[in-house]
Amino acid sequence: MSWREAARLSDVAFTELALQAIFALRQGNVLPPGPARALVPRARRRVLQSKLVIGGVLALFTLGGAYALSSAPLLHSSLAQGISSGEFRAGLLTGLFSLDVAFLWWTGMQVLPTFLAAGVFPLLETLPIDERTVARTASLLYLRLFDLPALTILVVTPLFVGLELGPLAGLAVVPGAVATVAFALALSLLTGRFFVRRVQGSRGGGGNAVVRWGYLVLWLLPAFAMFGFVIAAPGYFSLLRSIAETGSSTAGDLLFGAFPFPFAALAAITASGPDGMGLAAGGLDVLVAALGGYLALAAVAIYWVFASVRRIGLVPATGVRPLMPRAVALHSVRPAYAVLVKDLRIASRTPGYAFLILLPILDALALGLWTYASAPSATAANSLGLAAVTTSALLATFFGPAFFAIEVFAHSYARTLPLSGRSLLGGKVALVAGMYLVASAVVAGLTLPRVFDPTLFLGFIAAELPAVLAASLLELGILLRRAEARGLPITNLYAGAWIAFLVAIPGLLVASLPLVAFQLAGAWTPDLALSLMGLVALAELALAAPFAAGRERS
Amino acid sequence: MAEAVVPLRVDGLSVVYGERPAVDRLSFTVGRGEIYGLLGSNGAGKTSTIRSIVGLVQPVGGRVEVFGLDHRTMGRRVKELIGYVPEVSLLYEALTPREFLEFVASVRRLDPKVASERARNYANAFQLVEEFDEPIVTLSNGTRQKVLLLAAFLHQPPLLVLDEPLNGLDPRSVRIMKELLARYAANGDRGVLFSTHTMEVAEQLCHRVGILDRGVLRGEGTVAALREKVRAGDASLEEVFLRLTEEREAVRAAVDALGGPE
């Protein structure tokens, strides 16, 4: 058997994977209406669209990086005075590679559970094909999850950098692009294995839930790497400047040696020479050694991915059983609360959903802590705190529609239960409101002792709450109506994300309107701004609630 | 005179997938105290019929009434009256049996004490206690089936709709289920619709059977009445089934065509 045979088998397996990713039939969703023969082409088309979207986002990162490189003189003077133009370019490319790794890794983390749950690997093992072909098929199947996004990094990045800094610099970016893709693929697989072992198979009970949520926070790291880069860019350049001023040091060596700076520096040096980087001989040695080390590590990562995909695809999710089982007792609650608890329990073993719940809360934590670093005055802390609450409201609203997709799990069973649309909406809206309130409480806990007007701050949180509820009711009401008419929309990264995005637009508008009212009113009647904001939010809730509750699910 | 209210009345039910008819103008009833077996080959339309009854498939024609309530207009009330076990155990994989059953008990608004007592009794009977806190994704097919059975019995529904409920169960649990179903229906007010293609089970358990073939009901009644209909003497239900579906000669021809072992 050959690579060609493996490629053919992986194509068939990918069709099954696409079908499961889009329609989630193995996870208990019902067959959508319409002719069955159209399902496979539809699934493949939707997966391709999603890959194009992800590739497009990565291309946008590169385009942004290229734009920053082309505007280097202007940006350099405003962002990074005191460092050489070569270091500035290396800093920009470091940011680009960091974003690429983080985004590709994050993408991998979102799709890995579906990849493992599709049940393709156990089926492959039963086929009369040799071990090597099975391993190759598994590897090719894994690579196909990332093909377009990875190609975007491997082709578009050198192309744009080459256009900005010259063809040689474009070529010099290639090793960095390869290492970026290799590390992202390996990290995705590593976290995928971690998910199967530590999260998916984790037993029930409060203690285990705490441990699971703790693990899931780790899953957020790549997303925060993206977020952190944006926030930390000025600090990063000032660190580079201080290293340039003090000369060679351990901190400088660590910074020059940290991935992906050596790859970024390689392109910058190719474009402007070692003098343009302002590097001492010691710094150059560190770069060369780090480059060699990372390239070797990338080769090991690729080898490990090829050797491990098949094994990881067969890992059973099993927990450790205690000697004494807990007593059988059921704590039934009100249906809406049961929906909320069920969603939280599912999210605690499903990283994609845990991510959506944790992100606004951790974002609030990061912004709350940031006020200590960047807002020495009470007024500035107040403004930053309000901005953090605003972000929490908008993030919670934006992610609200995605929680509807949890209903896809076991939908073919759950639809036979007498669950009313109102209870379903109640549970989901409570989750969104809970995210907003917890995130706001985190901000309040961190900033209240320092803000100049605690009453305004707490009033702001309370006044925005009806708007968050209204936005969530509107979004989920639209999705519920759509589900009744056309089946459940599956909204994850590789399937129908556009539905969640579209529905989030009116939601975001509703959540934003009281904030805009607060800002506008604040300009001419500051005393009434908060009251006006609250009135607008309550009016929105009064309009959205009848819309959402208007139709009852049968 | 008005028709008596029965646990289940299916009248002229038709289901179509794309252009392919799966069920064609099917009519039958399940009476009080009755276990009705729906028999048929693979693809005969049993699961499509059951999925229409529980509201998972929208029929293109006909109606389904549960205790006189039309599924199209009284969907949620009808769902309260039904306990359902699907053919394939697709559950919330990320939940444990305890978490899943708590959700079901909550949606069905069961009193915690009552739900706990029932769950304890059924979990003990089906030897499910040790797996009660394992994520469903880690459970075997048979154990998942037990979880579904427990969920179906949790609210002691007046109508049980079971699609191949014995799939994957161990012999001990199969015996318990048979006894349980017989006693359940014996209550007198409840009905059980039971689909299977295992003739022995149907013969032992069902008061009446309906034989479905390519979406059409070929015969219906007690096993004795069906034997009489096809003049099968004291032949097995399997023989009756093959005669009613006109598959007897086809089966013989298929076996002959295969020949002996190579």
Side-chain angles (χ1 to χ4, degrees):
Chain A
M1 295 271 187
S2 61
W3 277 105
R4 184 179 294 180
E5 181 66 6
R8 195 181 65 78
L9 282 170
S10 75
D11 192 52
V12 177
F14 188 74
T15 302
E16 169 65 10
L17 196 59
L19 195 73
Q20 293 302 332
I22 301 299
F23 298 113
L25 300 172
R26 272 186 213 272
Q27 290 167 305
N29 194 20
V30 290
L31 208 60
R37 71 182 64 168
L39 293 182
V40 167
R42 202 164 121 200
R44 290 191 73 125
R45 195 170 58 246
R46 295 257 296 270
V47 167
L48 180 66
Q49 285 167 352
S50 297
K51 282 185 187 176
L52 284 171
V53 168
I54 293 160
V57 172
L58 285 163
L60 276 178
F61 287 165
T62 309
L63 199 64
Y67 173 75
L69 284 172
S70 71
S71 329
L74 185 69
L75 283 173
H76 188 183
S77 58
S78 61
L79 255 179
Q81 277 182 335
I83 64 170
S84 68
S85 63
E87 278 178 309
F88 182 64
R89 284 171 173 165
L92 287 177
L93 286 173
T94 297
L96 178 60
F97 282 138
S98 304
L99 281 176
D100 285 347
V101 167
F103 193 66
L104 203 57
W105 180 16
W106 182 77
T107 305
M109 288 190 349
Q110 303 304 308
V111 299
L112 247 287
T114 306
F115 177 70
L116 296 171
V120 173
F121 288 95
L123 195 65
L124 271 179
E125 294 292 323
T126 63
L127 297 177
I129 46 179
D130 63 90
E131 298 267 309
R132 183 180 286 186
T133 308
V134 174
R136 285 176 177 176
T137 307
S139 304
L140 289 177
L141 186 59
Y142 182 66
L143 291 182
R144 288 188 69 150
L145 291 178
F146 300 91
D147 49 10
L148 277 180
L151 275 175
T152 308
I153 294 173
L154 294 172
V155 175
V156 177
T157 308
L159 196 72
F160 280 8
V161 172
L163 284 173
E164 287 304 327
L165 302 181
L168 276 180
L171 276 178
V173 164
V174 171
V178 171
T180 295
V181 171
F183 290 153
L185 294 192
L187 286 167
S188 299
L189 199 58
L190 204 63
T191 38
R193 185 176 64 174
F194 165 82
F195 160 72
V196 172
R197 289 184 178 170
R198 303 284 179 186
V199 178
Q200 201 180 28
S202 163
R203 293 170 51 82
N208 285 324
V210 170
V211 173
R212 275 201 307 279
W213 281 105
Y215 280 131
L216 287 164
V217 169
L218 294 178
W219 276 70
L220 280 170
L221 286 180
F224 269 81
M226 290 187 266
F227 182 72
F229 168 74
V230 175
I231 286 187
Y236 182 76
F237 284 117
S238 82
L239 197 60
L240 274 179
R241 183 173 55 237
S242 85
I243 288 166
E245 283 164 2
T246 54
S248 183
S249 64
T250 311
D253 290 349
L254 282 175
L255 194 69
F256 286 169
F259 179 83
F261 187 83
F263 291 102
L266 180 66
I269 289 171
T270 311
S272 49
D275 295 341
M277 276 288 288
L279 276 178
L284 203 59
D285 291 345
V286 171
L287 282 183
V288 171
L291 269 177
Y294 287 126
L295 283 174
L297 195 61
V300 171
I302 291 171
Y303 175 79
W304 179 78
V305 165
F306 272 73
S308 310
V309 173
R310 177 188 170 202
R311 193 161 29 89
I312 290 170
L314 293 170
V315 171
T318 48
V320 180
R321 285 187 189 174
L323 291 173
M324 285 293 291
R326 285 164 62 203
V328 174
L330 301 180
H331 303 285
S332 51
V333 290
R334 294 176 69 86
Y337 184 53
V339 171
L340 171 68
V341 171
K342 174 205 65 158
D343 284 0
L344 284 172
R345 284 171 166 168
I346 289 177
S348 77
R349 294 190 184 90
T350 315
Y353 292 114
F355 170 82
L356 302 179
I357 292 172
L358 289 173
L359 189 65
I361 296 164
L362 292 183
D363 170 78
L365 183 69
L367 284 174
L369 289 173
W370 191 247
T371 60
Y372 286 86
S374 61
S377 75
T379 314
N382 200 67
S383 303
L384 261 174
L386 292 184
V389 172
T390 302
T391 313
S392 304
L394 296 182
L395 277 177
T397 307
F398 181 69
F399 290 144
F403 293 116
F404 202 77
I406 289 186
E407 293 309 305
V408 162
F409 298 126
H411 187 47
S412 59
Y413 182 81
R415 246 178 72 185
T416 67
L417 296 174
L419 178 66
S420 70
R422 282 175 201 179
S423 296
L424 186 68
L425 278 183
K428 306 277 177 198
V429 170
L431 179 58
V432 173
M435 282 159 57
Y436 165 70
L437 286 175
V438 171
S440 298
V442 168
V443 177
L446 287 167
T447 57
L448 261 191
R450 301 171 60 234
V451 297
F452 72 92
D453 191 350
T455 317
L456 172 78
F457 196 82
L458 293 175
F460 186 88
I461 293 171
E464 177 62 8
L465 180 62
V468 172
L469 292 172
S472 185
L473 280 169
L474 180 66
E475 292 170 342
L476 296 167
I478 292 171
L479 285 173
L480 189 62
R481 283 162 190 247
R482 191 183 185 281
E484 284 171 349
R486 297 170 58 187
L488 269 182
I490 300 167
T491 48
N492 58 44
L493 192 63
Y494 264 4
W498 61 273
I499 296 173
F501 284 128
L502 277 184
V503 173
I505 292 171
L508 285 173
L509 288 175
V510 168
S512 306
L513 198 59
L515 302 168
V516 173
F518 178 77
Q519 288 298 328
L520 290 177
W524 41 276
T525 58
D527 294 343
L528 290 176
L530 199 59
S531 309
L532 192 68
M533 178 185 173
L535 278 176
V536 171
L538 282 171
E540 286 180 329
L541 182 59
L543 288 172
F547 165 78
R551 279 182 60 179
E552 189 52 272
R553 199 171 88 134
S554 67
Chain B
M1 207 174 101
E3 286 181 283
V5 173
V6 289
L8 177 66
R9 184 185 302 283
V10 174
D11 187 15
L13 183 78
S14 293
V15 177
V16 174
Y17 295 123
E19 292 166 7
R20 188 174 67 84
V23 179
D24 188 12
R25 285 165 290 174
L26 177 66
S27 299
F28 67 93
T29 57
V30 177
R32 289 175 190 265
E34 184 177 43
I35 302 178
Y36 186 99
L38 205 52
L39 310 184
S41 315
N42 297 329
K46 303 186 298 290
T47 296
S48 295
T49 303
I50 283 180
R51 288 164 78 90
S52 305
I53 292 167
V54 297
L56 286 173
V57 169
Q58 196 65 44
V60 292
R63 57 192 284 162
V64 173
E65 281 181 12
V66 175
F67 287 95
L69 303 174
D70 190 330
H71 211 308
R72 288 170 300 188
T73 52
M74 302 290 286
R76 192 144 62 89
R77 179 77 189 106
V78 167
K79 288 173 185 179
E80 286 169 3
L81 301 173
I82 295 177
Y84 167 56
V85 172
E87 181 192 25
V88 183
S89 49
L90 296 167
L91 293 161
Y92 293 102
E93 303 252 313
L95 298 184
T96 64
R98 182 192 303 274
E99 292 166 350
F100 170 67
L101 292 167
E102 277 183 348
F103 175 66
V104 173
S106 302
V107 169
R108 294 201 178 280
R109 297 172 190 270
L110 297 181
D111 177 75
K113 275 187 187 166
V114 174
S116 295
E117 193 182 340
R118 284 180 190 158
R120 203 162 29 246
N121 291 341
Y122 283 94
N124 282 327
F126 286 117
Q127 295 179 318
L128 193 61
V129 178
E130 282 193 12
E131 284 92 1
F132 219 62
D133 289 301
E134 305 292 331
I136 289 171
V137 69
T138 66
L139 303 181
S140 69
N141 280 341
T143 310
R144 287 168 185 229
Q145 192 71 2
K146 291 175 185 176
V147 175
L148 277 169
L149 288 168
L150 212 161
F153 280 105
L154 202 57
H155 59 300
Q156 299 285 291
L159 175 64
L160 275 173
V161 179
L162 312 173
D163 196 355
E164 305 280 1
L166 306 181
N167 273 355
L169 291 185
D170 52 75
R172 179 183 185 278
S173 301
V174 168
R175 173 60 69 87
I176 290 174
M177 261 305 285
K178 285 180 188 170
E179 297 275 336
L180 198 59
L181 285 178
R183 290 186 191 187
Y184 200 79
N187 161 285
D189 280 333
R190 298 162 175 164
V192 177
L193 175 66
F194 181 99
S195 95
T196 183
H197 42 229
T198 312
M199 299 299 147
E200 292 80 7
V201 173
E203 203 165 357
Q204 284 172 21
L205 261 184
C206 301
H207 299 111
R208 283 192 306 142
V209 294
I211 293 183
L212 207 54
D213 180 37
R214 280 158 281 190
V216 175
L217 198 63
R218 299 286 179 202
E220 188 193 40
T222 61
V223 175
L226 289 174
R227 275 193 191 112
E228 202 168 310
K229 184 178 176 185
V230 293
R231 298 193 185 92
D234 58 353
S236 66
L237 182 57
E238 181 178 283
E239 180 64 25
V240 173
F241 175 83
L242 290 174
R243 288 190 191 190
L244 275 169
T245 55
E246 296 169 0
E247 288 286 340
R248 201 166 165 231
E249 298 309 315
V251 167
R252 185 165 298 159
V255 172
D256 288 344
L258 286 170
E262 291 174 21

